[in-house]
Amino acid sequence: MIQFFLMVNKQGQTRLSKYYEHVEINKCTLLETEVIRSCLSRSNEQCSFIEFKDFKLIYRQYATLFIVVGVNDTENEMTIYEFIHNFVEVLDENESHLIMVNNSFYMLLNSIC
Amino acid sequence: MPAPIRLRELIRTIRTARTQAEEREMIQKECAAIRSSFREEDNTYRCRNVAKLLYMHMLGYPAHFGQLECLKLIASQKFTDKRIGYLGAMLLLDERQDVHLLMTNCIKNDLNHSTQYVQGLALCTLGCMGSSEMCRDLAGEVEKLLKTSNSYLRKKAALCAVHVIRKVPELMEMFLPATKNLLNEKNHGVLHTSVVLLTEMCERSPDMLAHFRKNEKLVPQLVRILKNLIMSGYSPEHDVSGISDPFLQVRILRLLRILGRNDDDSSEAMNDILAQVATNTETSKNVGNAILYETVLTIMDIKSESGLRVLAINILGRFLLNNDKNIRYVALTSLLKTVQTDHNAVQRHRSTIVDCLKDLDVSIKRRAMELSFALVNGNNIRGMMKELLYFLDSCEPEFKADCASGIFLAAEKYAPSKRWHIDTIMRVLTTAGSYVRDDAVPNLIQLITNSVEMHAYTVQRLYKAILGDYSQQPLVQVAAWCIGEYGDLLVSGQCEEEEPIQVTEDEVLDILESVLISNMSTSVTRGYALTAIMKLSTRFTCTVNRIKKVVSIYGSSIDVELQQRAVEYNALFKKYDHMRSALLERMPVMEKVTTNGPTEIVQTNGETEPAPLETKPPPSGPQPTSQANDLLDLLGGNDITPVIPTAPTSKPASAGGELLDLLGDINLTGAPAATPAPASVPQISQPPFLLDGLSSQPLFNDITTGIPSITAYSKNGLKIEFTFERSNTNPSVTVITIQASNSTELDMTDFVFQAAVPKTFQLQLLSPSSSIVPAFNTGTITQVIKVLNPQKQQLRMRIKLTYNHKGSAMQDLAEVNNFPPQSWQ
């Protein structure tokens, strides 16, 4: 089950986030910084799945943007990896600039997830 | 008031902020503007303001004042308003806020709206943050929408139903009739969400699961859909890198897994399709691999036939060889799950797995390490251990502790020889010494004592190891203990396995003293070192004065633990010197209490049946002649002052029968057991019940239960009688008092009685009253034996008697089988 979906840039600023489980607002920011820290510290040769506390993180980098999905144990990591790419492709088709969108992001997320 | 800025402007402005403080300032300004705008009840710009508020919320700033505004937006008639309103509700509201209940009516109306998009919005929101009350109220509407023909709504309704079921499981039955036709849809969206709904139902309720298996014939339906997906040609709307709707395929596979688990019929029905998917899927892209991975997981989980399982493991093997690290990671994870059940198949890929130990990626290394430990067995132990030791050298610190413990466990189980075992342990201690877990030290010490013939070799190697570097605490602790125990072997330069090194007593004391003084040594290590020095006072001959000096210095140490020990040892030197050698004798072989509980209690005081006593292999190095064989030590081999049977410690957690170690270094709780020593030292003159862990009162006072006594041995004029008592406090303990009498005309001198019991028993021999059996039955020797019989098995005993009679040494072995049932039942 997907716990959260984040789009974070390389400087650590959250561009977009959606939580599927209730997380308090201050914990959100903390979580996001930790997540981006672990993703940034990975090199290219390392695999895209990280074990983080009690979830698994699956991340994908697109230029300066990281898309990170946090899942619990039962999920197939590779499917999620593929899903991230699918999501990005759809976003790309619908909007010309990936970064500018906010509302459509959420609408899209709601239709896919 | 000027029109509030658009969201885009806001984002642009915030992005220009260079510091956190600047950003905060901008946001606060905008928040104030939004708040005043809300107060004005401005309908036209409310939507824009709420959108900005949501953005700020996402960045982490509080936005709760916008909640009511969201509700107002939801109630509005404009679609754009509703859209932002619902979005805001999903992000800002949840069931903790009381406000959310106000939404219920709005949602209800919108669920019946004429426009499907509005209905969709309402379903989405309900599915996202609906509380149990809301779900209960609105479940009926959702169910109605589940049956519509509009596929856009149907798929949203299915997802909403999943949420409703999660919140209110009792409503599951309500959705059951609607699910009948769900899988007949052509629309993949609906199919996908229906499969999710069915999966959720099956996972939550075993009744549902059974129902779906039997009545609905779900499995054939799913198989059919999956087959269509694979066989169908290219369909542009569902294609992902050449595969048709992989997400749906994976979902279906997952549902099949749940249906097939523990169910033979279903598993059989899906065998073919699984084989088909496994063989036909293209593996060049990640998508194909994702599907294969899911297939493998499913095959391993259901009751598949063995051919299919082998196919699955081969797929995993192929993954391991893939260049993509994601795939390798995934393969290692699944192999770990299957290694228990399909051990042989996984063994075939052992070399690849071992190669993964050298990968750069941390997650892969961890998985490979765990898998390697699972694959170690008696045949491959040497090769695997080499790889694992190399890995230990080069891996990251966070792995070292786990790796070290794993190596110890594996070595313990499969060590081909004692020497190899000790070498491996030494290697681990020297390379990762500081990462070794605390309980490894006692385990190692116990292992070393058990390998009697390796003592000289071990102590020599340990000595050499700490000569160079004594900063790694576990290594130093083990070394200190061994040097204390076997220092005499070290100095006498006797070692069969290796070139013996020349060490003098002074050098040994030097190293121990430097450990004591060093800043790097912890308090525990210092305790070990001090006790080791003390023990050497009986083993070394020329440096006793030096030892006395060291011990007296620490009598005023700041560390309370050291001080206490030093004071006690001082007392030993001064007042109780006659007992010193007895107290500091070599330790007997210890009980092996594994972490899983006492699975195997090595006989400490005797031997296992049937080995006769005299063929017990003596240790290869020469033992000091004043001390008997380690194993027979406890049986009162010395004829000097009362021997305190220095009994072994065991882990405090194991049940009864713990006998405290007087020189308690190996106390596993970490607290020194030396505290009972000062109290017990003065009582030495009495028959030693000091170390009695079995019962606290002297057992002689227990009520004798009238068990008949037996004559255990009667030969050549020597008669031995056993009388029995049972302890009231501990029913598995039997106390046997032996009385030896001599009917010949000459005394029997140097009489030694030794006993051995079968493995399941424990024996404690207390000291005899004397060693001379006077002639003509004028007196007897009494000795007390305590037998612990936790499994209430029949008591049997083998006894060995040695004595001098008529100028010649006599020895005899006998077996005692005639124990009365009341003595052991």
Side-chain angles (χ1 to χ4, degrees):
Chain A
M1 236 185 65
I2 300 186
Q3 320 271 45
F4 56 84
F5 190 107
L6 299 175
M7 265 166 78
V8 193
N9 79 354
K10 255 191 165 168
Q11 278 85 44
Q13 296 175 316
T14 312
R15 289 284 160 240
L16 288 158
S17 74
K18 172 94 193 218
Y19 288 86
Y20 290 94
E21 274 192 351
H22 181 74
V23 181
E24 272 143 38
I25 191 161
N26 44 355
K27 293 219 185 91
C28 282
T29 23
L30 209 62
L31 182 69
E32 280 153 31
T33 34
E34 277 179 39
V35 164
I36 191 64
R37 205 183 312 144
S38 15
C39 292
L40 282 176
S41 58
R42 314 273 285 179
S43 73
N44 278 344
E45 272 112 47
Q46 295 176 309
C47 76
S48 306
F49 314 137
I50 309 176
E51 274 153 43
F52 180 81
K53 292 190 191 161
D54 52 351
F55 4 88
K56 289 193 264 202
L57 298 174
I58 295 142
Y59 71 92
R60 248 188 128 136
Q61 186 176 2
Y62 294 94
T64 57
L65 197 66
F66 278 89
I67 299 195
V68 186
V69 178
V71 292
N72 68 0
D73 276 339
T74 57
E75 204 58 58
N76 180 337
E77 295 97 333
M78 296 177 47
T79 323
I80 301 283
Y81 191 73
E82 205 51 47
F83 162 72
I84 296 178
H85 193 68
N86 195 323
F87 182 80
V88 168
E89 280 178 353
V90 173
L91 258 185
D92 221 15
E93 271 178 43
N94 288 348
E95 308 293 329
S96 40
H97 298 288
L98 199 55
I99 315 294
M100 294 297 276
V101 193
N102 271 322
N103 298 346
S104 1
F105 166 81
Y106 284 110
M107 295 303 142
L108 210 61
L109 206 53
N110 285 339
S111 9
I112 296 188
C113 291
Chain B
M1 196 177 150
I5 61 176
R6 290 171 180 268
L7 177 58
R8 285 210 185 147
E9 313 277 324
L10 178 66
I11 297 180
R12 235 177 254 138
T13 334
I14 290 183
R15 293 241 185 110
T16 59
R18 259 163 286 139
T19 66
Q20 185 79 313
E22 243 183 271
E23 185 183 294
R24 219 173 311 147
E25 213 183 289
M26 288 179 196
I27 292 203
Q28 274 174 348
K29 213 167 69 163
E30 191 57 39
C31 264
I34 294 178
R35 257 190 282 240
S36 36
S37 178
F38 283 160
R39 247 174 282 137
E40 285 175 17
E41 299 280 335
D42 186 350
N43 283 348
T44 31
Y45 295 117
R46 191 178 286 140
C47 161
R48 197 184 284 183
N49 285 328
V50 173
K52 285 185 284 187
L53 202 58
L54 290 179
Y55 182 74
M56 292 192 283
H57 170 84
M58 193 192 72
L59 290 177
Y61 298 94
H64 43 267
F65 56 89
Q67 287 166 2
L68 270 175
E69 302 299 318
C70 291
L71 293 180
K72 290 187 200 160
L73 281 175
I74 293 175
S76 138
Q77 288 308 313
K78 277 177 21 181
F79 179 70
T80 41
D81 280 357
K82 274 193 195 284
R83 198 171 69 156
I84 300 281
Y86 276 121
L87 183 60
M90 276 192 269
L91 292 176
L92 296 177
L93 288 175
D94 56 45
E95 49 193 30
R96 284 157 229 247
Q97 270 80 356
D98 300 322
V99 187
H100 79 281
L101 285 170
L102 297 172
M103 271 185 8
T104 318
N105 209 22
C106 277
I107 294 187
K108 189 165 190 174
N109 291 336
D110 283 335
L111 280 175
N112 294 322
H113 206 272
S114 45
T115 320
Q116 62 173 4
Y117 299 108
V118 173
Q119 290 175 295
L121 276 180
L123 281 170
C124 239
T125 311
L126 183 61
C128 185
M129 43 72 67
S131 64
S132 355
E133 294 89 28
M134 284 171 77
C135 289
R136 252 184 258 267
D137 290 335
L138 299 169
E141 309 286 330
V142 175
E143 200 248 340
K144 211 166 45 158
L145 285 171
L146 200 51
K147 296 197 212 147
T148 64
S149 47
N150 183 335
S151 32
Y152 175 80
L153 287 178
R154 242 178 149 185
K155 70 181 182 206
K156 288 202 186 280
L159 283 181
C160 192
V162 172
H163 180 86
V164 169
I165 291 177
R166 278 194 193 137
K167 281 286 180 190
V168 190
E170 296 90 51
L171 292 174
M172 217 188 297
E173 273 100 44
M174 194 158 122
F175 293 105
L176 193 50
T179 61
K180 281 200 210 303
N181 292 327
L182 276 177
L183 290 181
N184 294 333
E185 271 275 344
K186 290 274 184 330
N187 181 313
H188 279 213
V190 180
L191 275 177
H192 193 126
T193 51
S194 326
V195 173
V196 173
L197 178 59
L198 290 168
T199 314
E200 186 71 26
M201 284 178 154
C202 290
E203 274 176 353
R204 296 244 154 195
S205 148
D207 295 330
M208 283 286 179
L209 184 58
H211 169 89
F212 280 125
R213 274 186 189 141
K214 290 200 202 49
N215 306 354
E216 299 288 341
K217 306 258 184 284
L218 202 53
V219 175
Q221 273 184 308
L222 291 171
V223 168
R224 181 176 47 84
I225 298 175
L226 197 50
K227 201 176 259 183
N228 283 340
L229 278 176
I230 307 176
M231 293 313 189
S232 67
Y234 176 76
S235 107
E237 55 193 45
H238 300 135
D239 180 79
V240 178
S241 306
I243 298 189
S244 188
D245 206 344
F247 300 109
L248 182 58
Q249 289 191 33
V250 166
R251 281 276 177 204
I252 293 182
L253 285 167
R254 203 174 296 168
L255 183 54
L256 284 176
R257 183 167 15 158
I258 298 178
L259 288 172
R261 203 178 278 158
N262 291 332
D263 187 52
D264 291 324
D265 297 326
S266 317
S267 307
E268 216 180 291
M270 41 178 109
N271 267 334
D272 289 334
I273 191 67
L274 289 173
Q276 211 174 2
V277 173
T279 40
N280 284 356
T281 316
E282 219 189 86
T283 57
S284 52
K285 294 272 178 69
N286 185 53
V287 200
N289 288 327
I291 297 182
L292 279 179
Y293 177 45
E294 194 71 34
T295 318
V296 165
L297 287 179
T298 304
I299 293 178
M300 298 322 303
D301 229 6
I302 64 174
K303 300 209 158 181
S304 49
E305 50 183 26
S306 59
L308 208 52
R309 293 183 97 90
V310 171
L311 179 61
I313 298 208
N314 287 343
I315 293 179
L316 289 179
R318 250 186 301 142
F319 276 3
L320 273 181
L321 297 168
N322 197 308
N323 283 333
D324 187 357
K325 44 249 133 62
N326 289 341
I327 297 179
R328 277 214 299 269
Y329 173 83
V330 148
L332 285 173
T333 317
S334 353
L335 280 174
L336 196 56
K337 285 188 224 158
T338 61
V339 76
Q340 308 299 333
T341 43
D342 293 274
H343 195 93
N344 293 332
V346 183
Q347 280 280 3
R348 246 178 273 139
H349 302 284
R350 187 164 50 83
S351 46
T352 334
I353 293 173
V354 167
D355 280 335
C356 289
L357 279 175
K358 306 196 185 83
D359 201 287
L360 290 165
D361 184 308
V362 167
S363 329
I364 291 189
K365 271 203 269 202
R366 177 171 283 280
R367 288 275 175 273
M369 178 180 85
E370 288 169 7
L371 202 49
S372 308
F373 281 131
L375 285 178
V376 166
N377 65 20
N379 295 332
N380 55 32
I381 179 75
R382 282 188 195 267
M384 291 290 274
M385 198 48 83
K386 233 193 305 186
E387 294 287 339
L388 286 168
L389 285 172
Y390 180 72
F391 175 68
L392 185 63
D393 280 338
S394 51
C395 71
E396 284 84 353
E398 62 246 23
F399 288 150
K400 289 207 184 195
D402 290 329
C403 193
S405 331
I407 290 182
F408 284 147
L409 270 169
E412 205 176 299
K413 274 198 265 187
Y414 300 113
S417 77
K418 286 235 153 89
R419 169 160 180 182
W420 181 93
H421 196 169
I422 294 198
D423 279 342
T424 312
I425 293 179
M426 293 284 310
R427 178 92 188 269
V428 175
L429 281 178
T430 43
T431 47
S434 26
Y435 299 99
V436 166
R437 276 211 316 253
D438 292 335
D439 62 349
V441 172
N443 285 341
L444 292 178
I445 288 179
Q446 184 234 312
L447 178 68
I448 293 175
T449 40
N450 280 346
S451 42
V452 167
E453 63 278 7
M454 302 292 303
H455 285 163
Y457 171 71
T458 315
V459 70
Q460 190 166 297
R461 284 206 62 185
L462 281 168
Y463 175 75
K464 278 199 271 196
I466 65 168
L467 256 189
D469 159 36
Y470 44 84
S471 59
Q472 305 199 68
Q473 300 304 301
L475 173 63
V476 175
Q477 285 169 12
V478 177
W481 192 92
C482 285
I483 293 179
E485 274 294 302
Y486 311 120
D488 45 327
L489 295 176
L490 185 59
V491 189
S492 62
Q494 307 247 356
C495 179
E496 289 189 349
E497 311 273 347
E498 251 192 10
E499 263 310 298
I501 54 175
Q502 301 304 326
V503 186
T504 64
E505 298 183 0
D506 276 312
E507 282 170 354
V508 175
L509 286 174
D510 280 339
I511 190 78
L512 283 175
E513 275 188 55
S514 22
V515 169
L516 263 179
I517 301 174
S518 159
N519 285 340
M520 295 185 278
S521 306
T522 61
S523 175
V524 174
T525 315
R526 278 187 238 251
Y528 271 91
L530 190 59
T531 310
I533 293 182
M534 188 60 197
K535 284 194 222 173
L536 288 175
S537 71
T538 46
R539 317 243 198 290
F540 283 176
T541 43
C542 2
T543 43
V544 184
N545 285 332
R546 181 175 173 182
I547 295 179
K548 269 197 213 172
K549 215 163 44 126
V550 172
V551 169
S552 59
I553 291 176
Y554 279 88
S556 47
S557 152
I558 295 182
D559 184 335
V560 178
E561 167 62 26
L562 278 183
Q563 193 189 88
Q564 178 175 9
R565 287 187 190 216
V567 164
E568 290 163 16
Y569 296 151
N570 259 333
L572 264 187
F573 271 126
K574 300 208 172 69
K575 284 203 282 175
Y576 300 102
D577 203 38
H578 55 283
M579 285 190 261
R580 188 162 49 89
S581 44
L583 269 178
L584 300 174
E585 266 178 357
R586 186 148 307 176
M587 296 273 273
V589 173
M590 280 186 252
E591 265 179 41
K592 189 193 257 198
V593 179
T594 65
T595 46
N596 299 334
T599 50
E600 187 195 307
I601 301 184
V602 169
Q603 193 50 244
T604 59
N605 324 15
E607 304 143 310
T608 60
E609 283 244 311
L613 283 164
E614 57 251 46
T615 63
K616 182 84 193 120
S620 50
Q623 295 279 6
T625 46
S626 59
Q627 298 181 16
N629 186 313
D630 277 0
L631 279 175
L632 302 179
D633 223 3
L634 268 175
L635 308 177
N638 295 338
D639 42 342
I640 29 172
T641 50
V643 171
I644 314 303
T646 51
T649 46
S650 47
K651 289 207 166 63
S654 54
E658 271 101 72
L659 304 166
L660 293 171
D661 180 12
L662 187 61
L663 303 174
D665 287 336
I666 325 288
N667 191 314
L668 302 176
T669 52
T675 356
S680 49
V681 162
Q683 295 171 25
I684 281 227
S685 42
Q686 302 168 10
F689 291 112
L690 317 159
L691 308 173
D692 198 345
L694 300 176
S695 82
S696 45
Q697 327 103 319
L699 282 172
F700 287 172
N701 293 342
D702 273 352
I703 307 166
T704 52
T705 45
I707 308 174
S709 54
I710 59 170
T711 305
Y713 176 87
S714 176
K715 210 156 120 181
N716 296 334
L718 175 63
K719 186 163 99 162
I720 302 199
E721 266 190 26
F722 283 9
T723 41
F724 303 96
E725 275 156 16
R726 300 296 294 274
S727 160
N728 275 354
T729 48
N730 186 341
S732 358
V733 170
T734 309
V735 180
I736 308 175
T737 312
I738 67 157
Q739 299 209 327
S741 54
N742 172 7
S743 59
T744 64
E745 329 77 57
L746 280 181
D747 295 344
M748 296 174 177
T749 55
D750 295 320
F751 180 83
V752 174
F753 175 89
Q754 293 165 329
V757 287
K759 242 189 186 166
T760 50
F761 297 81
Q762 281 183 39
L763 191 66
Q764 185 189 7
L765 263 189
L766 306 181
S767 55
S769 55
S770 86
S771 61
I772 300 180
V773 195
F776 297 113
N777 290 336
T778 43
T780 59
I781 290 184
T782 359
Q783 191 166 9
V784 174
I785 310 174
K786 281 195 221 159
V787 179
L788 179 67
N789 180 8
Q791 296 180 21
K792 304 268 188 219
Q793 291 193 356
Q794 175 170 26
L795 186 52
R796 288 181 296 172
M797 196 183 281
R798 207 173 262 207
I799 60 178
K800 175 178 177 183
L801 310 158
T802 45
Y803 54 93
N804 286 338
H805 190 231
K806 296 182 182 151
S808 52
M810 310 273 288
Q811 200 175 272
D812 202 2
L813 273 179
E815 201 166 304
V816 185
N817 282 329
N818 50 340
F819 286 100
Q822 304 98 309
S823 65
W824 48 268
Q825 267 174 354

